[in-house]
Each structure stands twice: as structure tokens, then as C-alpha cells.
Amino acid sequence: MQVGLVGWRGMVGSVLMQRMIAEKDFKNVASVFFSTSQSGQAVTLRDGREVVLKDANDLSQLLKMDAIVSCQGGDYTQKIHGPLRDAGWQGYWIDAASTLRMASNALVVLDPINIDDIHAALDDGKKDFIGGNCTTSLMMLAMHGLFRDELVEWVSAMTYQAASGAGAQNVRELIEQMGSIYEASKDDLASPKGGILDIDALVLDRMRAKEFPTEYFGTPLAGSLIPWIDADLGNGQSREEWKAQAETNKILGRQGDPIPVEGICVRIGAMRCHSQALTFKLSNSVPVLEVEKILGDANEWVSVIPNDKPSTISMLSPTSVTSTLNIPVGRVRKLNLPGNIYSAFTVGDQLLWGAAEPLRRMLQILVRR
Ligand code: HSE
């Protein structure tokens, strides 16, 4: 199988490469590496291979591929996918962009949940397999058991999304903001007599100063937060918030009878793990221990964190989850509200299960068929 990789040096693409090398996926395919800007150049891959890059804008090269895995982003998908299909390309398109997700002939892939639908779509001759929005995929892996058992009436997902979801430049800017804040306050911090209100004033002055680095986020994130992610749909909702219900129900095959999924998406100063505070209504009163069992048994990545302070602060944080495929879910409680309303909190690496891993696994599903 000839597999073309595009956008493999970006943040999601680099994580995909790490995972494919770790899982020895390249042994099963003939891989061809594309570039939008450096075709013809020879490069050394992380696994030591030397390859010459092909032109990612050259349809004649892309047409030779049995599958294309793109982490290049939505603009590239928008530009290339249509013309490639118009030119008669029958290969499999796998990407992580939102461009094609809602198309009727595209499947949103999250195989621990919809492997049967993936095989049915392949049997059906479908060719476009698209990774879901990161928060949606991470929430669904955490809530998998409750969705599977059809217990969920609705979900509210209040998100705490990491800088990486906005892009590599944003991650750099977050760290620059942190550094700038430290710079502004370090002399007072070093003195044990430094008054905390003086330190606070120095920090705030810096965060509001013109020179504070905000080119990518447009506003301070370090020491603050941004309660808006992605485009404004004009109805009070952000596009990131809209995706949760649309994609959850597409993945569950419930577009005709959707489970309401709502919330506010917030950017916080974490590096690459998205966290979510979930409130959900179950169709009947299920004891918390049973809810935890249903959640914890659903797939091999989810684990239930006991709802106590030491377990929560050590195991349910971006710091502890980053760079792993773990989907911890904790803070499970029946809330003191009328009805069968529960809470949970979950954390997941948005570059792994939130982006690269569903694509990697989709390619392996193709290879194994
Ligand atoms: N839209 C996500 C975010 C990125 O901004 O965090 C992954 O889908």
C-alpha cells in the first residue's frame, strides 16, 4: 500500500510520526513523504531513513497514492481533496481537519467507539475518513461506556483547552508570555519582603503592556484565560462549541435523534492536554459506583480516578496525562440537583487521542483489511 504523508512535520504530524515509528507502522506500508514548500529536498526522518520529498501540490504525484494521510490543516484539504477526487482518485483520504467532517460521504473516525461503522463504510466503498475535533473525541472516549449503554440524555462539556489546539506558534507564545511575566516580577519575587500586591501590579502592568506577546492569541493567556475558541457562528455560539453535538452524534450514528451536547469552550494556559468538566443527565438513577464501573470498563485507555483530593491532583491533570494515551476520568458524583444529574472531569492529550492517534489507527485498519 502506497501511503502519502502530508503535513508530517507540524505539531500533529510530528506526534503522528512518533506514534507510527513507536508502533512500527512503517513496516506495513510504502510511505511517501510530501511537502508543500520543500519538494525535491532530501531529509532524514526520526527513524533514520533518508527520503526525498515530493510536491504536496502536485496532483499527479498524489494520484499514485493508495491512501493520503494529511496533518496539513483545513486549507490544504480544501484546496487538494476536491480536485484529486475530480481527477478520478479512488484512494483513501485520512485527515484531522474539520473541512470534510460533516460531508455525508465522510466518516468521523474514533475506532474504539465506531469500529463497526468504519468497517461498514469501507464495505460500502467510502473513501474519506476524518479524525474528529479534539475535545469531542476526548470527551467521547471518557464517556464511552455511558454512551454505549444508551444512558446519556444530555451532556454539558465545559472545556479547558490547551494552547497546542491553537497551533505551534501559540504554544511558543504562551511560554513567551509566561517568561515575560516572570521577567517583570523577578526582582520583587527574589526579595522575601516583596509585597504581593506590588508583585501583582507589576504582573498586571506587563500583561496589559503593548510589548506583551499576543500576536497569535490576540490577548494574554498566561495568567488569564480566553473563553472563546474558533469562529463566531453569530448565534452566541463558537464553532468549537457547535462541533461537540454535531460530531458526537455523527460518531454515534445518531444524527436523526441527537443527544444534546452543549457547553462553553475555554482556552487555558496548559500545553497540550485538553480538560473538560462534564455535567450529564442519565436516563435513570444509577449508583455512582456503577457509573464509575461503566466508565472504567469501556475501553483500554479510560481509567477512573477516585474522587478524592490526593488522587485527583496527582492523576487528573494535564501534567500527569501529557504524552500518554490515557483518558482519566474522575470527580464522578451525583450532583445535588433535581433529576439524575452527574458530574465528571476528564483530561486527554489533544495531540494524541485528540488528533494523531485516530488517524494512525485508521491507516492500520486499512492495512489489516
Ligand atoms: N479546535 C481545537 C482547539 C483543536 O482549538 O483546541 C483541535 O481540534
Side-chain angles (χ1 to χ4, degrees):
M1 189 168 172
Q2 288 259 97
V3 178
L5 289 114
V6 188
W8 51 278
R9 287 185 287 191
M11 201 165 33
V12 173
S14 300
V15 170
L16 178 68
M17 289 292 292
Q18 281 178 345
R19 287 288 301 138
M20 289 182 73
I21 292 167
E23 297 291 336
K24 304 190 167 46
D25 291 348
F26 286 113
K27 293 216 160 27
N28 306 326
V29 295
S31 43
V32 181
F33 291 83
F34 285 85
S35 165
T36 52
S37 56
Q38 295 179 329
S39 65
Q41 287 194 17
V43 295
T44 308
L45 305 177
R46 281 169 177 275
D47 57 4
R49 272 184 296 163
E50 296 262 347
V51 297
V52 176
L53 302 176
K54 303 270 191 212
D55 182 357
N57 291 308
D58 180 352
L59 290 187
S60 69
Q61 293 292 335
L62 295 166
L63 280 165
K64 295 180 191 159
M65 300 297 117
D66 299 306
I68 293 170
V69 181
S70 171
C71 299
Q72 184 71 26
D75 292 345
Y76 179 77
T77 298
Q78 187 70 43
K79 178 173 161 209
I80 294 293
H81 177 269
L84 206 49
R85 291 290 183 220
D86 290 345
W89 185 62
Q90 291 291 314
Y92 295 101
W93 179 275
I94 302 172
D95 81 6
S98 63
T99 317
L100 299 173
R101 274 184 209 144
M102 286 298 132
S104 58
N105 56 357
L107 199 78
V108 182
V109 292
L110 190 59
D111 69 273
I113 291 172
N114 66 353
I115 184 69
D116 293 344
D117 293 340
I118 291 171
H119 282 299
L122 288 167
D123 291 344
D124 232 24
K126 292 225 165 78
K127 304 285 185 187
D128 295 336
F129 294 88
I130 314 299
N133 167 258
C134 40
T135 38
T136 307
S137 298
L138 295 170
M139 180 276 285
M140 291 193 73
L141 287 170
M143 293 280 286
H144 182 178
L146 297 172
F147 284 128
R148 180 200 58 205
D149 293 357
E150 300 191 351
L151 284 164
V152 182
E153 285 196 4
W154 53 256
V155 187
S156 159
M158 298 295 187
T159 73
Y160 303 76
Q161 294 184 225
S164 60
Q169 298 296 350
N170 297 66
V171 178
R172 302 177 88 96
E173 186 168 273
L174 171 64
I175 301 165
E176 281 167 14
Q177 290 187 354
M178 291 169 171
S180 178
I181 288 173
Y182 178 66
E183 255 326 292
S185 57
K186 69 171 192 251
D187 293 344
D188 284 48
L189 272 178
S191 150
K193 292 205 191 77
I196 196 61
L197 291 185
D198 294 333
I199 292 172
D200 177 56
L202 284 169
V203 166
L204 209 62
D205 278 353
R206 175 59 62 92
M207 287 168 66
R208 289 176 174 166
K210 252 212 192 74
E211 74 264 23
F212 196 65
T214 59
E215 181 185 350
Y216 293 96
F217 283 114
T219 189
L221 178 63
S224 191
L225 57 77
I226 310 172
W228 197 287
I229 294 176
D230 206 340
D232 185 343
L233 296 185
N235 61 351
Q237 201 179 28
S238 74
R239 207 162 97 86
E240 188 78 355
E241 289 152 7
W242 172 84
K243 287 173 190 166
Q245 174 167 325
E247 294 186 20
T248 295
N249 286 287
K250 181 152 181 175
I251 291 168
L252 292 174
R254 287 192 56 141
Q255 284 172 299
D257 176 25
I259 297 173
V261 184
E262 261 290 7
I264 296 177
C265 291
V266 181
R267 186 80 63 202
I268 58 146
M271 292 291 284
R272 55 180 272 190
C273 273
H274 286 353
S275 306
Q276 305 185 58
L278 306 171
T279 306
F280 47 92
K281 182 172 194 305
L282 298 185
S283 50
N284 51 65
S285 179
V286 184
V288 166
L289 277 179
E290 202 179 320
V291 171
E292 290 188 337
K293 187 166 169 18
I294 293 170
L295 291 170
D297 288 348
N299 60 60
E300 63 186 271
W301 300 277
V302 72
S303 60
V304 172
I305 306 301
N307 188 16
D308 61 59
K309 185 171 176 181
S311 308
T312 300
I313 67 172
S314 69
M315 292 186 276
L316 198 57
S317 73
T319 310
S320 66
V321 176
T322 288
S323 295
T324 75
L325 291 162
N326 300 341
I327 307 285
V329 52
R331 304 307 324 270
V332 180
R333 202 158 73 77
K334 189 160 194 232
L335 297 178
N336 295 317
L337 294 170
N340 303 313
I341 314 253
Y342 298 76
S343 67
F345 194 89
T346 184
V347 182
D349 189 314
Q350 75 91 210
L351 295 174
L352 282 164
W353 268 123
E357 191 67 6
L359 310 191
R360 186 192 78 74
R361 292 170 64 91
M362 183 62 220
L363 183 61
Q364 285 308 303
I365 291 167
L366 288 178
V367 168
R368 284 196 297 268
R369 265 171 74 98

